[in-house]
Amino acid sequence: MTFIKNIFFFLFLLFCITIVLLFIFLDKYKIEKIIDRLETDNNIIINLKNQPNWKFSSEIKVDFSTKIQNEKNQFYTEDANFSFVQPYKIAPMNFDINIPSLFLEGLQIKLVKLIGNYNLVNKKINFNNIEGKIGNGDFSSSGSISLLNNQPIRLKGELNNIYLNQILKQLNLADWKRLEIRLSANNYEVSSKLSSDEIFLKNFNGNIPVTGSIYLVSSEEEKFGVALLNILVAQLLPDYQNLSKSLSQIINNYTNKPVLFEGIIEIKNGVLQTSNLTVINNNNKIQIKGTFDMVSNNFDTKLFFIESEKIVVEAKIAGDLENPKIEIINENKLFDSEKINNDLNKVFGEGINNLIDKLLMLNE
């Protein structure tokens, strides 16, 4: 989960460049010395693509372009265009930064634009606008970084049509084959402190109202298998009723079509939690309650399958982001069987027909 920290760190780095350029205006240092200092302090490589273009009229203005990357290749841009404007008075210095393409740990962010100012008096960087595109989605934010008190950073804004699968896959966090999620968030707010990975995540807090769609892929063979499974369980193996109900709910109500979801995700000290995230399809709902710890990469979450406002089955999500367990609950206890796999994730992975074969063997 260092990706989130690296986003904020990259923003912080860009504005470090803003601050030290104040000294250029005062003729105290040469730009080469400033670049050397930034490279040494932040383990990055900065190559000027052209000489700074200075203009002195009603205000001081400088434009230049650079290539920036850190030594661990966590972020990289071939072309970052900077423009700084300082009035001839005690006033914040304005900046305008444009980056056609930025790579953060393998994720490409296009058309990045940052507009804001730096206040020398209170040592605060204000973002009037931060925007960019990720795939077919985009984001727009505003916020601030204080250079005092361990560099607290705050952002608020919007996410639109973000393809979560693309982000997780390109960051090597998870590669979900059957489940696709697209999400948006209006008026989200997040904050943290720029420090080590663990301290950053443990200080990560926020409120994110989310909406979006889920698309789960299933086959005709699986639909037929679920229908056969329901008959088998109803007539011969009633102890496995909740397992067949959950599979039936998923296959019949939430596959091969976009299904909408909405809710609020709160972040407290690096832990995502929700009590009202709901996936809705007509009279059928899946309500999600629980947490995901970004530090330990661990779920502790429950799914409630609801039909006509009645809970018909419950499941528990545990484990990591890449391969979580989704286990059925019977009578407030985890359904446990040595012979039949209770993990819905593995049931789909191994195939429903495989499950039916095992159940038939139990009945012999």
Side-chain angles (χ1 to χ4, degrees):
M1 287 298 172
T2 58
F3 168 69
I4 298 175
K5 181 195 170 185
N6 286 330
I7 290 179
F8 288 111
F9 175 77
F10 187 78
L11 292 174
F12 177 67
L13 172 65
L14 293 178
F15 296 114
C16 281
I17 297 173
T18 303
I19 296 163
V20 295
L21 278 170
L22 285 173
F23 292 104
I24 296 178
F25 291 125
L26 301 175
D27 283 332
K28 287 191 175 182
Y29 296 102
K30 292 183 178 180
I31 192 168
E32 290 80 5
K33 290 184 178 180
I34 295 171
I35 289 177
D36 288 342
R37 183 195 306 167
L38 287 169
E39 289 180 327
T40 301
D41 292 345
N42 298 285
N43 294 320
I44 60 173
I45 301 170
I46 302 175
N47 294 319
L48 278 174
K49 300 187 70 174
N50 54 29
Q51 289 299 312
N53 180 24
W54 292 90
K55 295 180 180 179
F56 302 89
S57 54
S58 59
E59 56 192 8
I60 303 173
K61 182 178 181 181
V62 59
D63 302 309
F64 64 94
S65 298
T66 67
K67 173 182 175 181
I68 305 173
Q69 71 180 98
N70 75 331
E71 294 181 353
K72 296 181 180 180
N73 290 321
Q74 292 169 311
F75 54 80
Y76 170 82
T77 177
E78 185 70 29
D79 191 15
N81 303 300
F82 294 82
S83 179
F84 299 97
V85 176
Q86 176 63 54
Y88 288 109
K89 59 182 179 180
I90 299 177
M93 180 177 65
N94 299 310
F95 56 79
D96 189 334
I97 302 171
N98 291 276
I99 304 174
S101 181
L102 167 67
F103 288 89
L104 286 170
E105 294 189 354
L107 176 67
Q108 185 180 23
I109 307 175
K110 297 181 178 180
L111 304 177
V112 180
K113 187 177 183 65
L114 303 99
I115 299 174
N117 61 72
Y118 171 67
N119 192 315
L120 181 62
V121 177
N122 59 19
K123 299 185 182 301
K124 188 175 184 180
I125 300 165
N126 296 303
F127 317 126
N128 297 331
N129 188 38
I130 303 171
E131 62 182 50
K133 294 181 66 67
I134 302 176
N136 292 325
D138 59 79
F139 60 88
S140 178
S141 305
S142 61
S144 64
I145 295 178
S146 173
L147 302 183
L148 303 173
N149 303 322
N150 296 321
Q151 296 87 38
I153 179 170
R154 296 177 176 84
L155 289 177
K156 59 181 180 179
E158 297 181 355
L159 305 173
N160 298 297
N161 195 34
I162 298 297
Y163 186 27
L164 186 60
N165 293 63
Q166 174 191 10
I167 294 175
L168 295 177
K169 183 176 181 179
Q170 291 184 336
L171 297 177
N172 294 317
L173 294 174
D175 187 7
W176 298 339
K177 300 294 186 182
R178 298 169 60 105
L179 178 66
E180 296 185 359
I181 300 177
R182 295 183 180 274
L183 63 85
S184 300
N186 292 326
N187 301 318
Y188 77 83
E189 295 186 17
V190 294
S191 64
S192 188
K193 294 182 179 180
L194 290 174
S195 187
S196 65
D197 291 346
E198 185 172 351
I199 293 176
F200 177 85
L201 288 176
K202 285 185 176 180
N203 285 278
F204 194 47
N205 295 282
N207 183 280
I208 308 177
V210 294
T211 59
S213 65
I214 293 176
Y215 191 92
L216 179 62
V217 179
S218 69
S219 64
E220 290 299 322
E221 183 182 14
E222 286 176 327
K223 291 183 178 180
F224 176 78
V226 164
L228 181 60
L229 176 65
N230 288 336
I231 296 173
L232 174 63
V233 169
Q235 295 183 356
L236 303 175
L237 297 164
D239 289 344
Y240 297 91
Q241 187 176 35
N242 276 6
L243 180 58
S244 66
K245 278 184 179 180
S246 60
L247 290 170
S248 180
Q249 278 279 326
I250 293 171
I251 292 294
N252 294 330
N253 298 317
Y254 301 101
T255 62
N256 298 332
K257 55 188 173 185
V259 182
L260 302 181
F261 69 86
E262 63 179 2
I264 297 176
I265 297 175
E266 294 182 339
I267 308 172
K268 294 184 178 180
N269 301 322
V271 178
L272 281 68
Q273 58 187 42
T274 184
S275 60
N276 67 347
L277 189 60
T278 306
V279 183
I280 305 170
N281 181 25
N282 297 324
N283 292 327
N284 301 287
K285 296 191 292 187
I286 300 177
Q287 193 170 59
I288 304 170
K289 296 182 179 181
T291 64
F292 174 72
D293 191 326
M294 292 191 292
V295 177
S296 61
N297 186 21
N298 186 63
F299 280 102
D300 183 8
T301 304
K302 282 188 176 181
L303 301 178
F304 300 89
F305 293 86
I306 300 172
E307 185 176 345
S308 299
E309 302 302 324
K310 181 182 178 181
I311 297 176
V312 295
V313 69
E314 297 180 30
K316 179 179 175 63
I317 303 178
D320 60 26
L321 193 63
E322 171 66 29
N323 193 29
K325 293 182 179 180
I326 308 174
E327 299 176 295
I328 301 303
I329 296 175
N330 276 352
E331 297 179 353
N332 297 320
K333 295 181 180 179
L334 282 176
F335 168 71
D336 188 17
S337 172
E338 295 180 357
K339 298 180 180 179
I340 299 298
N341 202 326
N342 178 42
D343 182 355
L344 294 181
N345 197 359
K346 289 187 177 180
V347 168
F348 279 112
E350 295 172 357
I352 293 177
N353 288 337
N354 183 277
L355 172 63
I356 293 174
D357 290 340
K358 290 181 179 180
L359 289 172
L360 288 172
M361 291 176 63
L362 286 178
N363 193 54
E364 292 178 353

